[in-house]
Amino acid sequence: ARIGIEERSDVLHFEGQNNWNFQDDRGRVVYGASYRNTKVNTSGTLMNLANDDRSDDLYSGYGQVEYKVTPQVRLVGAARFDDGTLIESQFSPKGAIVFSPDENHSFRVSVNQAFQTPNYSEFFLQVPVAEPTTAPSTATPTARSAPPRRHR
């Protein structure tokens, strides 16, 4: 027997970003925000009906400041904030020092904390692997003969 799978979803996403340079282009600021609404309905084929036919929101804001201490050394600081109906508030900071001995090479030392937004499968996926049965298993092991030995 075949198991039918159905999934209908809609995603609405807005994102905006701006940036500007300061102090004769020694510094740069980038900031932005985004909003995403996801609606999903699997009619109980992939998600439990209690969690199916849902609409969830995700909000985020971020900013980064980059500053050239010398022509070869830049300092970078950044942060991101995420919140939504499926996740707890998340704060993700970042700091870096970038050394560029020439225009074709850069070395970066950075530290940051980040997270990946989970998807619906990680929260709600529920798929049967086989049709349920109450009968005992009837599979029996098959006897196999050993491969012939080679003598030297």
Side-chain angles (χ1 to χ4, degrees):
R2 291 179 59 177
I3 299 172
I5 294 177
E6 182 179 323
E7 192 269 338
R8 292 179 309 279
S9 61
D10 293 304
V11 176
L12 175 67
H13 185 92
F14 292 104
E15 187 165 347
Q17 178 176 302
N18 194 18
N19 60 74
W20 79 86
N21 296 337
F22 61 93
Q23 215 174 40
D24 296 325
D25 291 341
R26 287 185 71 184
R28 178 179 167 101
V29 174
V30 178
Y31 63 93
S34 70
Y35 165 77
R36 178 174 42 209
N37 174 268
T38 304
K39 295 178 182 177
V40 65
N41 185 348
T42 70
S43 299
T45 62
L46 293 172
M47 295 165 57
N48 185 298
L49 285 172
N51 294 315
D52 208 346
D53 194 16
R54 57 185 303 121
S55 176
D56 295 292
D57 297 312
L58 178 65
Y59 310 90
S60 63
Y62 56 90
Q64 177 171 307
V65 177
E66 188 174 310
Y67 188 76
K68 287 183 182 179
V69 179
T70 70
Q72 292 83 23
V73 177
R74 289 178 291 153
L75 300 179
V76 180
R80 180 181 173 100
F81 180 78
D82 293 275
D83 197 9
T85 53
L86 287 175
I87 61 168
E88 294 182 11
S89 298
Q90 300 286 326
F91 177 71
S92 304
K94 171 185 169 181
I97 300 172
V98 181
F99 173 64
S100 302
D102 60 51
E103 65 182 40
N104 295 320
H105 298 88
S106 292
F107 301 94
R108 176 189 308 264
V109 175
S110 63
V111 61
N112 65 312
Q113 177 181 330
F115 92 109
Q116 181 176 338
T117 307
N119 61 48
Y120 279 100
S121 296
E122 293 168 320
F123 280 112
F124 306 114
L125 183 65
Q126 176 182 301
V127 179
V129 293
E131 288 197 31
T133 180
T134 56
S137 175
T138 57
T140 57
T142 304
R144 294 179 123 180
S145 59
R149 288 182 151 189
R150 291 191 174 177
H151 298 283
R152 292 185 186 199

